[in-house]
Amino acid sequence: MASTEASSKVIPVTVLTGFLGSGKTTLLNHILSSQDHGLRFAIIENEFGEVGVDEKVVSQNLEEEMIEVMNGCICCTVRGDLVSGLKNLYGKVERFDAVIIETTGLADPAPVAQTFFVDEDIKKMYRLDGICTVIDAKHIVQHLDEEKPEGVENESVEQVAFADRILLNKVDLVTEDGKLEAIEARLRAINKEAPIFRCTHSKVEPKNLLNLNAFSLDRVLEMDSEFLNVDGEHQHDLTVSSVSSKFVGELNINKLNMFIGELVMTKGTDLFRYKGVFPVKGYDKKFVFQGVHMLFNGCFSDNEWKDGEVRECRFVFIGRNIDKDALVQGIHACQVSNEPLRFAVGDEVEIYIDADGGGPQTCAATECSVGTWTRARVAKHWDSGDPYCVELAVADAAGKKKKWVTEDTDNYIRKASSTAS
């Protein structure tokens, strides 16, 4: 009897959409961690690139077999995979109450929604409960105004138009008087029906997003009479591409921050979205970085690398006119060598520091304008992400004796000589 009821169960589906970096995965994790709704979820993750990053974050919150991951654009190249994924998940229907689909930021939600009305099997298994569009308040206007090649739809406009709920996220980044009201007016000009929720960090009560029966086929057909036409063409902007990679190994956090910092300063305008999960030498916690254009954030998450888990680097960059080889080579250059460090704990060494002390980290002898080689003793390996923590024989100008050496080369640290101070 139970299996018969399960096989006839119609599951509600919520689609989370929004342009790259708007906060969709943050919203998904907020929903999954909430205790208010009492629902069990199956998740379908869609990423624009060959290497998935988000599932490494989302999978901390539910069983991994309840996640389907599809790489490519869910609205075109992998739409058939969406149908297959939904059918596969339905075989485990007794283990979840609802499905959440997080689309890539480049997806037009229309073909995704169409799936629930044109496939007879899917219509019997699922119902589209609603489309929630997350908006990056800081960058939405430039994306709405972006001119696309002939025949290419503006994804941001489509995502707003098909929304049943609009989350105006990152409102804390918009400080100009009247700016938020102007943004909301732009959104309502595209979609006057969907309620708008202002938020930061995608924090909206799940009750405002789930089990709403909010999707209206009549409204969509009034807006787009060709909605149910499965033969309609869908084109992407060919100047936008992704580069992604994964490899086993640990990174030097200081080199990574320097590389990302320079990249954001020089190429930030063309970087729509970038994110990654990295193992950092000297840390048990996973380092998660993400950014949108020139807004970058990187920090250690609460999730640690598990015993036996492969310490693997994963990253993806999405943007316009990307130099793929330079990006991949830049990340790989931050990798820590498998060779042991040259100096053991307790060894007497010399490090190069500025004449004024130079702060907690040392500099390179070829880069510091005025400095000196100073005697020290190696205290620790890979402390705070640096290869060496050393203790000076004599305190520096600031009265400090501990220093951190950022690279294991003779330009930063060398064997002690009898003439060192």
Side-chain angles (χ1 to χ4, degrees), residues 47-54 56 242-247 251 256 259-260 263 273-278 289 312-318 324-333:
E47 300 212 43
F48 187 73
E50 298 176 356
V51 176
V53 173
D54 286 344
K56 285 294 183 181
S242 72
V243 55
S244 56
S245 182
K246 62 179 179 179
F247 58 91
L251 300 188
L256 178 64
F259 171 73
I260 297 295
L263 181 69
R273 181 67 165 135
Y274 43 100
K275 52 189 172 180
V277 178
F278 296 126
F289 86 91
E312 180 183 66
C313 298
R314 288 182 171 222
F315 64 89
V316 60
F317 289 81
I318 304 172
K324 297 185 178 183
D325 291 338
L327 274 173
V328 172
Q329 291 168 10
I331 298 291
H332 276 264

Side-chain angles (χ1 to χ4, degrees), residues 110 121 168 173 251:
D121 291 331
L168 186 56
L173 301 180
L251 300 188

Side-chain angles (χ1 to χ4, degrees), residues 275-286:
K275 52 189 172 180
V277 178
F278 296 126
V280 171
K281 187 72 173 180
Y283 288 89
D284 293 326
K285 292 185 175 181
K286 297 180 179 182

Side-chain angles (χ1 to χ4, degrees), residues 142-197:
Q142 72 184 75
H143 292 309
L144 291 176
D145 290 342
E146 185 177 1
E147 292 186 10
K148 295 286 186 177
E150 185 176 353
V152 176
E153 294 173 338
N154 185 313
E155 296 91 351
S156 292
V157 174
E158 295 296 304
Q159 290 162 358
V160 173
F162 278 85
D164 298 300
R165 295 289 185 272
I166 296 174
L167 279 66
L168 186 56
N169 193 31
K170 304 184 183 181
V171 294
D172 55 315
L173 301 180
V174 179
T175 57
E176 184 180 343
D177 288 344
K179 186 69 172 180
L180 287 175
E181 289 75 13
I183 292 172
E184 289 184 350
R186 285 289 303 273
L187 299 177
R188 289 197 176 97
I190 300 170
N191 183 338
K192 65 178 184 295
E193 303 290 339
I196 298 175
F197 297 88

Side-chain angles (χ1 to χ4, degrees), residues 64-123:
E64 291 198 16
E65 67 253 35
M66 299 309 291
I67 301 178
E68 291 277 336
V69 181
M70 292 174 293
N71 295 316
C73 179
I74 199 173
C75 60
C76 47
T77 58
V78 296
R79 186 153 39 145
D81 293 346
L82 173 60
V83 173
S84 298
L86 287 167
K87 290 179 179 178
N88 290 337
L89 281 175
Y90 200 78
K92 309 166 189 173
V93 68
E94 72 281 354
R95 298 171 57 189
F96 61 90
D97 307 302
V99 173
I100 297 177
I101 299 174
E102 181 190 352
T103 74
T104 172
L106 294 174
D108 177 354
V112 181
Q114 184 187 69
T115 302
F116 297 92
F117 297 94
V118 299
D119 187 288
E120 293 301 321
D121 291 331
I122 296 299
K123 285 169 64 175

